[in-house]
Amino acid sequence: MKITISTEELDAVVKKLAIVTNKMSKMTYGVKKIVTMSSRKAVQGDRVVYPTTFTSFNGKVQVAVNLYALSGDYEEAFTINVGSEFISAVQAISKAGGETTIFIVSDNSCEIVCGDARITLTTKVEGLAPVAFDLADRTLLEGAFQVEKAAFASAFKEVAIAADNDENSPFVGVGITEDDGMLALRAISSALMAESRCPVKEGGGKPVTGLSVDSSVLKDIFGVIAGDSICIYKTVNHAVIQGEAELWQIPLLASSIPPESLDKLKGMQRDTEMVVNKSRLSVAISIALSVMAKDEKPLIVLKTDNGQLLLSNKGNTASAKAELSNLTGECTGIYLNAVLLQKTLACAKGEELLIRSGSNNTPVLIRDADENSRAVWIIAPINAR
């Protein structure tokens, strides 16, 4: 059996398979993983096509990517299993520069040819083979929602900073719920809480309940998934993400982030409100950090002084001021993690930020000053003793 595939399309497929077999290999360390290639001959109108699917699974995350082969020399549908070395083999052989890659399949091997280069892999019968996607059993489906990929990716980037999954975090991953035509994404770590939103497309449906998934896995998927519109299904045990010609199945996390936990933090009393330029605030933080010893905790204290925001390090050996375009109330001094504050600023889209603070023990709320902004960050103050 012989099948010919565009090398460019195959490279794109391999990048997605590699996320599961290589990048996420820590999930199932020591378990042999299998890449499955399935192809069949079909007739569409007056032409013959060869729909082909590549699938990989690492014990937790699974991906299936579809493409049409350029040509095929076989009549019956076939499926072969090869080891995860398939990824590196294709990546290496594609450097030969051939526009097409040919797979020659026999009983026990698969020969891959690209340009003047060729390599033979032994087919596998043992290992962690792909499993059926939950969507094959509609009784497992609890609901779905459809979003624009760019809008979802932007909202996810704004909350991912808080999804550090540390041991002290009350919840791990990113929580996703549908709320009045918007998709709300939330993440909570021990020191930072974040929320953002993106529109849900009409007709996409919605899950019966919210879901929570690993943020690092979601980040990897949205770094490679194709298509402008993405559908996210919730099943009993998984989230299934559908792109233009691919499916990703990832496990749901046991604990979900209840929306009321962040709503409570957002609703806390904060009598001080200030608007500051993001770039100037970032420069001021850098100045306060510049003289800190390497073993010193990156703490800075924020307080208002004559209509300006004063930032200094714990020892008051360095300080800087940032002009405020608006100030209501007074901030007498709140210690924050400077590195975390800098990372939060990097997530904000606008140049003007609204900062709201209360007592020394009240978490500081940060958002873009634009009233239409959907992202909110809440940073917990630190006891400087």
Side-chain angles (χ1 to χ4, degrees):
M1 294 177 290
K2 184 167 71 173
I3 183 170
T4 302
I5 296 174
S6 161
T7 300
E8 183 179 0
E9 287 188 56
L10 184 61
D11 281 344
V13 169
V14 164
K15 288 179 181 178
K16 296 169 185 181
L17 298 176
I19 287 179
V20 175
T21 60
N22 299 337
K23 195 167 185 180
M24 298 177 180
S25 60
K26 291 182 180 179
M27 290 182 170
T28 50
Y29 180 77
V31 178
K32 294 181 180 179
K33 300 164 187 73
I34 283 178
V35 173
T36 295
M37 179 174 72
S38 302
S39 189
R40 62 186 177 88
K41 183 178 180 179
V43 177
Q44 289 185 353
D46 59 353
R47 67 191 185 103
V48 176
V49 295
Y50 300 89
T52 303
T53 301
F54 292 86
T55 308
S56 188
F57 179 51
N58 66 11
K60 291 189 176 181
V61 178
Q62 178 163 300
V63 62
V65 190
N66 301 314
L67 57 76
Y68 283 103
L70 299 175
S71 63
D73 184 11
Y74 58 92
E75 294 298 326
E76 298 295 328
F78 72 89
T79 297
I80 63 167
N81 296 324
V82 290
S84 58
E85 64 270 15
F86 171 84
I87 307 295
S88 55
V90 171
Q91 290 173 334
I93 205 170
S94 65
K95 295 178 182 178
E99 293 184 359
T100 61
T101 299
I102 301 171
F103 292 84
I104 304 171
V105 180
S106 62
D107 290 339
N108 301 310
S109 66
C110 175
E111 185 177 17
I112 309 172
V113 182
C114 182
D116 296 328
R118 62 179 60 222
I119 188 171
T120 301
L121 301 178
T122 302
T123 55
K124 303 287 185 180
V125 294
E126 296 180 353
L128 195 60
V131 298
F133 280 84
D134 285 359
L135 294 187
D137 183 354
R138 307 303 286 187
T139 64
L140 298 176
L141 182 62
E142 294 189 356
F145 41 74
Q146 193 170 5
V147 295
E148 293 293 337
K149 182 179 73 173
F152 182 89
S154 177
F156 172 71
K157 181 180 178 182
E158 291 171 329
V159 303
I161 182 178
D164 58 8
N165 300 336
D166 63 19
E167 295 180 356
N168 297 319
S169 176
F171 302 97
V172 297
V174 171
I176 304 173
T177 56
E178 200 276 342
D179 181 19
D180 194 23
M182 299 291 289
L183 201 63
L185 289 78
R186 299 179 176 91
I188 300 178
S189 71
S190 57
L192 176 66
M193 291 65 73
E195 178 187 73
S196 190
R197 294 170 180 262
C198 72
V200 176
K201 295 184 67 174
E202 292 186 7
K206 66 178 182 179
V208 177
T209 57
L211 58 91
S212 185
V213 294
D214 186 288
S215 60
S216 62
V217 174
L218 202 59
K219 179 180 179 181
D220 288 335
I221 291 173
F222 272 83
V224 297
I225 194 168
D228 295 329
S229 181
I230 304 297
C231 191
I232 302 176
Y233 299 90
K234 183 189 177 184
T235 69
V236 174
N237 297 310
H238 297 96
V240 181
I241 304 172
Q242 182 178 19
E244 185 175 341
E246 63 202 88
L247 280 179
W248 297 80
Q249 183 162 283
I250 61 179
L252 298 176
L253 297 180
S255 59
S256 281
I257 300 172
E260 57 271 16
S261 61
L262 195 56
D263 291 341
K264 182 178 180 180
L265 290 169
K266 289 192 297 183
M268 295 180 71
Q269 183 175 346
R270 297 176 176 90
D271 297 325
T272 302
E273 215 175 80
M274 42 194 146
V275 177
V276 60
N277 179 274
K278 180 176 68 175
S279 298
R280 292 178 180 175
L281 178 58
S282 182
V283 170
I285 296 171
S286 298
I287 293 173
L289 286 170
S290 63
V291 296
M292 287 187 182
K294 291 183 179 180
D295 59 346
E296 187 178 353
K297 292 182 179 180
L299 301 183
I300 59 170
V301 60
L302 275 66
K303 60 183 177 181
T304 53
D305 180 33
N306 294 324
Q308 295 180 317
L309 182 61
L310 178 65
L311 297 89
S312 59
N313 61 354
K314 182 180 177 182
N316 289 315
T317 56
S319 62
K321 291 183 179 181
E323 296 287 340
L324 296 175
S325 57
N326 186 55
L327 173 63
T328 301
E330 181 182 10
C331 179
T332 58
I334 298 177
Y335 283 94
L336 298 177
N337 182 312
V339 174
L340 194 58
L341 182 57
Q342 284 278 46
K343 290 181 178 179
T344 301
L345 299 187
C347 293
K349 295 177 181 177
E351 271 301 308
E352 296 293 312
L353 297 179
L354 172 66
I355 301 177
R356 298 180 60 205
S357 65
S359 67
N360 294 350
N361 297 321
T362 302
V364 174
L365 185 148
I366 301 174
R367 64 182 305 157
D368 285 323
D370 182 357
E371 293 182 357
N372 296 320
S373 173
R374 298 172 178 144
V376 176
W377 299 273
I378 300 176
I379 302 180
I382 297 175
N383 188 336
R385 294 180 181 177

